[in-house]
Amino acid sequence: MIKKIYVNGKDEVEFFKQLEERSGETDKKVSAVVNEIIDTVRKGGDAAVKAYTEKFDGKLPEYYEVPRDVINDALTEADPDFVNALLNSIENITDFHNRQKSRSFVNTKADGCILGQKVRGLDKVGLYVPGGTAAYPSSVLMNAIPAKIAGVKEIIMVTPPLKDGTPNKDILVAAGLCGVDRVFMSGGAQAIAALAYGTEEIPKVDKIVGPGNIYVATAKKLLYGVVDIDMVAGPSEILVMADETADPKFVAADLMSQAEHDKLASSILVTTSEKLADATIAEVERQMAYLERKDIIKYSLENYGAIIICNTKDEAVDMANRCAPEHLEVLFENPLEYVGRLDNAGSIFLGQYASEPLGDYYAGPNHVLPTSGTARFFSPLGVNSFEKRSSFIYYTEEALRQAKDDIVLVAEKEGLTAHANAIKVRFE
Amino acid sequence: MIKKIYVNGKDEVEFFKQLEERSGETDKKVSAVVNEIIDTVRKGGDAAVKAYTEKFDGKLPEYYEVPRDVINDALTEADPDFVNALLNSIENITDFHNRQKSRSFVNTKADGCILGQKVRGLDKVGLYVPGGTAAYPSSVLMNAIPAKIAGVKEIIMVTPPLKDGTPNKDILVAAGLCGVDRVFMSGGAQAIAALAYGTEEIPKVDKIVGPGNIYVATAKKLLYGVVDIDMVAGPSEILVMADETADPKFVAADLMSQAEHDKLASSILVTTSEKLADATIAEVERQMAYLERKDIIKYSLENYGAIIICNTKDEAVDMANRCAPEHLEVLFENPLEYVGRLDNAGSIFLGQYASEPLGDYYAGPNHVLPTSGTARFFSPLGVNSFEKRSSFIYYTEEALRQAKDDIVLVAEKEGLTAHANAIKVRFE
């Protein structure tokens, strides 16, 4: 069911090309609907947000803003093992992301001039958390922790209510543990619009992060520029590089852990061993039988999965760099030797025990990663995603006098005589 | 002609609101034209690019790719003072941007686990340089130097030919000095599409940077995701904060150096001194009389300029933070004391001699800055704009065994049982 492709310079290129076409254009009908929601919320504020919530979610939630004591109660009433698991994750995520913090710098020159760059956290950040089965506490951790480390002053979460109008308790627990400042029960494009423009109650933010359905994603894309956004996420993928030393049981399980996300997800094994390829196929069949989301897994593997059999490990490296996968597993002997050659990947998992879910939940690096081949130029979410920079320049009269002729000459070459004038008037 | 506004909590808010509305939506007609150009170039390659060049620029250029010896000749034949001025700028820009380089990091833990983040330069970057009067050699410097420092392997410049079909020599000089690798004579949306998808001769790049007209800007916006882009630039602005110690001659000149860029540019003086306000108005009239681009300056100052008179310096600081200007000048006594309170600005110019054109051409910080209030969340172009990151994780069997229960618990809470399975199979 998962197809085998033999590297011949044609079939594998064709397969990667097909993958690229998964993403597709923004749907015009969705854009029209979302544009209208944005306009209505911009003008109508909270009343408009609530009207949409009632329309799309069936009823108004228990509260618009979740009271602090409801969050605290969720924390004290939660399963201690769950809280403990999240606390262990938080410790690892915090340790890793602390190492990403940028520093301001300054160059104080001997002639009295001062040149520098200051780095600060954004003021306010909006965090979208989807409802239903896609409400992931781990996603709260991965977005809120780097924001906090960057120095963001206020994190405002928006999330749709459960069917009974109450908030999802697991999400509240994660929000409470990560120091999310305020939680509003509102989802969809209307919540994104509220964060972008601000309403009477929901603060206007500087950046919106977090996953969402097509309406949420389209709203973020349309409002990019009014606010910053994390990324335009497309279908996700895993590429596993494995040689004959890899365990097919592990390979099959990891391919399927990606495939269960979404019918459009892509799981690819690139291997130098035909024996491993066949054993992996058998393991996929065996394990899939007992997995809950087997329908999604089957569809995804049949349509966007592949086992690519290549002749050398160099070919496998080339293929990984060409694919630029979100997740890249290296199940080669001596996996660390390959890090320096893997140029395009969101996150790289090295060795038999660095299974992809380890990165999703626990190890520390972020799980919000560039998808659909965009690891060629985009990077994982991180502390720097929540930082802003300003440069600053202090100059002395004498230093400007030294620079004057150069500046005036280039400004006049460019036809910008008012630029030249601004320097000249200082020495008239 | 430049209006005075007295701070009263209403008029200045109204003025800033008006400014926000300068940017406006992407024009639908332009989008349709650009979409067609993109499709045609994607399918038709170089032949399509050349056909558009002939159509829009009137004739085919002397060469499609500028030969290396033509660039070398431009360098040897250039005015030595001009070359020298650029070399001085290059030295300062290089010194400043060298300080921005990110480092890879690694955490080698006692239990044998290894967590890290590697940083590399993008592989290929496309640099757009507009034609006509907007062909700025300084813009080549500000884009190419940080790319080189980030480790970008190949910089491909595209630029439309002059009317006689030859390349702009000043641009070639700047390109030669900065180590631009290849130069193609092609402009407009067709050049952007060629860089995004690649043609027979023009390489497919990972990121496109550089300013351009509405067609170029729209093409970049539409192709965002296929490639990375620098930013969606809107109309630009300067905000000058000045007290009674400031020289009105300098203030007026700096306001006009911004106003000459564009009719939509905005130049704002925020001052605690009514005397300075009136003296600045007189200086604007006097200096404007002899400036070449007086029509643009007049239009811009009348429509988007203002002198805001406030009661305290604190009010002025608040106003600067609210406006989030691209360029912020502080002509207060002891200007350095204010850096820590100025949260939203692309670049901050401190004191009487840090005139804005000093930053445009010479001092070292980048002149590609967030415009139209987006300094609230966007940052200046820099070395990190040309870097990409990948995280990596190596785990031991024993460490995963310790983490196993936590990961499985959270994965199952999230309903992702194939994720849980990927961990469990490793210990069956």
Side-chain angles (χ1 to χ4, degrees):
Chain A
M1 49 124 93
I2 182 167
K3 57 187 157 295
K4 283 206 276 185
I5 296 173
Y6 293 86
V7 167
N8 61 10
K10 207 177 127 261
D11 293 350
E12 78 280 8
V13 170
E14 191 53 40
F15 172 71
F16 285 126
K17 214 179 201 169
Q18 248 175 285
L19 277 194
E20 270 179 35
E21 281 154 20
R22 275 182 306 166
S23 339
E25 304 278 302
T26 310
D27 188 288
K28 286 213 179 77
K29 270 188 209 156
V30 174
S31 288
V33 172
V34 171
N35 260 324
E36 201 196 309
I37 294 173
I38 291 172
D39 281 349
T40 309
V41 171
R42 189 179 184 178
K43 285 178 204 130
D46 291 318
V49 173
K50 289 174 188 173
Y52 280 120
T53 301
E54 213 167 350
K55 184 174 166 191
F56 296 132
D57 298 332
K59 61 187 281 193
L60 280 179
E62 211 172 336
Y63 349 82
Y64 191 45
E65 178 168 4
V66 180
R68 180 50 52 183
D69 58 3
V70 172
I71 298 173
N72 291 341
D73 288 352
L75 270 173
T76 50
E77 289 159 14
D79 168 11
D81 287 342
F82 175 57
V83 172
N84 201 49
L86 291 185
L87 284 174
N88 288 337
S89 290
I90 288 171
E91 190 183 332
N92 291 338
I93 298 167
T94 303
D95 179 47
F96 187 84
H97 286 79
N98 268 334
R99 296 164 201 265
Q100 291 181 329
K101 214 166 148 49
S102 303
R103 294 231 171 101
S104 298
F105 65 78
V106 68
N107 179 17
T108 52
K109 295 172 75 168
D111 64 2
C113 296
I114 300 174
L115 300 163
Q117 178 177 275
K118 59 181 274 193
V119 183
R120 315 157 311 299
L122 298 175
D123 200 35
K124 290 189 175 66
V125 164
L127 167 52
Y128 190 88
V129 179
T133 53
Y136 298 143
S138 60
S139 165
V140 176
L141 272 49
M142 291 295 182
N143 282 282
I145 294 171
K148 280 276 166 188
I149 292 173
V152 168
K153 294 201 195 83
E154 200 174 9
I155 302 177
I156 295 111
M157 181 189 284
V158 292
T159 186
L162 298 177
K163 282 207 178 108
D164 65 0
T166 66
N168 178 319
K169 292 282 160 47
D170 295 343
I171 295 300
L172 289 190
V173 170
L177 293 176
C178 293
V180 167
D181 296 280
R182 302 178 72 180
V183 180
F184 288 89
M185 287 174 73
S186 161
Q190 61 273 22
I192 302 295
L195 289 169
Y197 290 111
T199 63
E200 302 89 323
E201 294 197 47
I202 298 179
K204 175 186 169 87
V205 302
D206 300 311
K207 181 161 186 158
I208 302 174
V209 297
N213 64 19
I214 179 81
Y215 294 93
V216 169
T218 303
K220 281 167 65 184
K221 199 171 172 180
L222 290 171
L223 288 164
Y224 177 58
V226 176
V227 279
D228 192 17
I229 61 171
D230 47 356
M231 59 179 72
V232 180
S236 63
E237 59 276 315
I238 190 171
L239 188 146
V240 180
M241 297 161 63
D243 60 19
E244 70 290 347
T245 67
D247 186 329
K249 206 161 67 172
F250 301 179
V251 173
D254 291 358
L255 292 174
M256 288 189 290
S257 79
Q258 184 61 30
E260 79 168 333
H261 268 302
D262 176 6
K263 284 187 176 176
L264 290 176
S266 170
S267 305
I268 304 160
L269 167 62
V270 179
T271 182
T272 45
S273 163
E274 175 115 30
K275 200 176 148 205
L276 178 78
D278 293 332
T280 300
I281 291 172
E283 272 297 320
V284 165
E285 305 263 355
R286 187 184 71 80
Q287 294 178 35
M288 194 189 305
Y290 63 75
L291 289 174
E292 275 176 31
R293 296 163 75 102
K294 59 171 85 62
D295 293 344
I296 297 173
I297 295 172
K298 193 159 183 286
Y299 185 96
S300 152
L301 290 183
E302 276 176 2
N303 289 278
Y304 304 110
I307 296 184
I308 301 177
I309 295 156
C310 50
N311 305 301
T312 63
K313 291 186 179 177
D314 287 347
E315 267 182 14
V317 167
D318 286 349
M319 223 153 294
N321 282 333
R322 199 185 310 159
C323 176
E326 185 187 10
H327 308 95
L328 173 58
E329 285 190 0
V330 185
L331 275 70
F332 282 171
E333 216 181 353
N334 307 321
L336 282 158
E337 293 177 8
Y338 293 87
V339 178
R341 297 168 60 190
L342 296 167
D343 280 332
N344 299 328
S347 193
I348 305 171
F349 299 78
L350 300 160
Q352 304 285 322
Y353 291 91
S355 173
E356 193 247 296
L358 168 71
D360 283 348
Y361 293 115
Y362 193 83
N366 212 288
H367 78 197
V368 183
L369 301 169
T371 56
S372 306
T374 58
R376 239 176 64 227
F377 41 80
F378 288 149
S379 298
L381 191 78
V383 173
N384 69 324
S385 311
F386 298 99
E387 291 171 340
K388 59 183 168 181
R389 286 149 231 262
S390 300
S391 50
F392 56 90
I393 301 171
Y394 173 83
Y395 244 59
T396 64
E397 179 177 356
E398 185 48 34
L400 188 66
R401 191 190 310 277
Q402 297 295 327
K404 180 169 74 79
D405 293 345
D406 283 349
I407 300 174
V408 169
L409 193 156
V410 181
E412 288 179 346
K413 266 267 190 210
E414 294 189 352
L416 296 174
T417 51
H419 281 61
N421 177 63
I423 304 301
K424 286 195 277 189
V425 291
R426 283 169 160 82
F427 299 98
E428 266 167 9
Chain B
M1 48 122 95
I2 180 166
K3 55 188 158 294
K4 282 206 276 186
I5 297 173
Y6 294 87
V7 167
N8 60 10
K10 207 178 125 259
D11 293 349
E12 77 281 9
V13 170
E14 191 53 40
F15 171 72
F16 285 126
K17 214 176 199 170
Q18 249 176 284
L19 276 194
E20 271 179 34
E21 282 154 19
R22 273 181 309 165
S23 338
E25 305 277 303
T26 310
D27 188 287
K28 286 210 180 78
K29 269 188 210 156
V30 174
S31 289
V33 171
V34 171
N35 260 323
E36 202 197 308
I37 294 174
I38 290 172
D39 281 350
T40 309
V41 170
R42 189 178 184 178
K43 286 178 203 131
D46 291 318
V49 173
K50 289 175 188 173
Y52 280 120
T53 302
E54 210 167 353
K55 183 174 169 190
F56 297 132
D57 298 333
K59 60 187 280 194
L60 281 179
E62 211 173 336
Y63 350 82
Y64 192 45
E65 177 167 5
V66 180
R68 179 52 51 184
D69 59 3
V70 173
I71 299 173
N72 292 340
D73 288 351
L75 270 172
T76 49
E77 288 158 16
D79 168 10
D81 287 342
F82 176 57
V83 172
N84 201 47
L86 292 185
L87 285 173
N88 288 337
S89 291
I90 289 171
E91 190 182 334
N92 291 337
I93 298 167
T94 303
D95 180 48
F96 187 83
H97 287 79
N98 267 333
R99 295 162 202 264
Q100 292 182 328
K101 213 165 148 52
S102 303
R103 294 232 171 101
S104 298
F105 66 77
V106 67
N107 179 15
T108 51
K109 296 172 75 168
D111 63 2
C113 296
I114 300 173
L115 299 164
Q117 178 176 275
K118 59 181 274 196
V119 183
R120 313 155 315 298
L122 298 176
D123 200 35
K124 291 189 174 65
V125 164
L127 167 52
Y128 190 88
V129 179
T133 54
Y136 298 144
S138 61
S139 165
V140 176
L141 271 48
M142 291 294 182
N143 282 282
I145 294 171
K148 279 276 164 188
I149 292 173
V152 168
K153 293 202 197 85
E154 199 173 12
I155 302 176
I156 295 110
M157 180 188 286
V158 291
T159 186
L162 297 177
K163 280 207 180 105
D164 65 1
T166 65
N168 178 318
K169 292 282 159 48
D170 295 344
I171 295 299
L172 289 190
V173 170
L177 293 175
C178 293
V180 166
D181 297 280
R182 301 177 72 180
V183 180
F184 288 89
M185 289 175 72
S186 160
Q190 62 274 21
I192 302 295
L195 289 169
Y197 291 111
T199 63
E200 301 89 324
E201 294 197 47
I202 298 179
K204 176 186 169 86
V205 301
D206 300 312
K207 181 161 187 159
I208 302 175
V209 297
N213 65 19
I214 179 79
Y215 293 93
V216 169
T218 303
K220 280 167 65 182
K221 200 171 171 179
L222 291 171
L223 289 165
Y224 177 57
V226 176
V227 277
D228 192 16
I229 62 171
D230 46 355
M231 59 178 71
V232 180
S236 63
E237 59 276 315
I238 191 170
L239 187 147
V240 180
M241 298 162 64
D243 60 17
E244 69 291 347
T245 68
D247 187 328
K249 206 162 67 173
F250 301 180
V251 174
D254 291 359
L255 292 174
M256 288 189 289
S257 79
Q258 185 60 31
E260 80 169 330
H261 269 301
D262 178 6
K263 283 187 176 178
L264 290 175
S266 170
S267 305
I268 304 160
L269 168 62
V270 179
T271 181
T272 46
S273 163
E274 175 116 29
K275 199 177 145 202
L276 179 78
D278 294 331
T280 300
I281 291 171
E283 272 296 323
V284 165
E285 306 263 356
R286 186 184 72 78
Q287 294 178 36
M288 195 191 302
Y290 64 75
L291 290 173
E292 274 176 31
R293 295 162 75 101
K294 59 170 82 67
D295 294 343
I296 297 173
I297 295 171
K298 191 158 186 284
Y299 185 96
S300 152
L301 290 181
E302 277 175 2
N303 289 278
Y304 305 109
I307 296 184
I308 302 177
I309 296 157
C310 50
N311 305 301
T312 63
K313 290 187 181 177
D314 286 348
E315 268 183 11
V317 168
D318 286 350
M319 223 152 296
N321 282 332
R322 200 185 308 158
C323 176
E326 184 186 11
H327 309 96
L328 173 58
E329 286 191 0
V330 186
L331 275 71
F332 283 172
E333 217 183 350
N334 307 322
L336 281 157
E337 293 176 7
Y338 294 85
V339 179
R341 298 168 61 191
L342 297 167
D343 280 330
N344 300 327
S347 194
I348 305 171
F349 299 80
L350 300 160
Q352 304 285 321
Y353 291 92
S355 173
E356 193 248 295
L358 169 69
D360 284 348
Y361 293 116
Y362 192 82
N366 212 287
H367 78 195
V368 183
L369 301 168
T371 56
S372 305
T374 58
R376 240 174 65 228
F377 41 79
F378 289 148
S379 298
L381 191 77
V383 174
N384 68 324
S385 312
F386 298 99
E387 291 170 341
K388 60 183 168 182
R389 284 151 233 261
S390 301
S391 50
F392 56 90
I393 302 172
Y394 173 82
Y395 244 57
T396 63
E397 180 177 357
E398 185 47 34
L400 188 66
R401 192 189 310 277
Q402 298 295 328
K404 179 169 73 78
D405 293 346
D406 283 350
I407 300 174
V408 168
L409 193 154
V410 181
E412 287 179 347
K413 267 267 190 208
E414 293 189 352
L416 295 174
T417 52
H419 281 59
N421 177 65
I423 304 301
K424 287 195 278 189
V425 292
R426 283 172 160 82
F427 299 97
E428 269 167 8

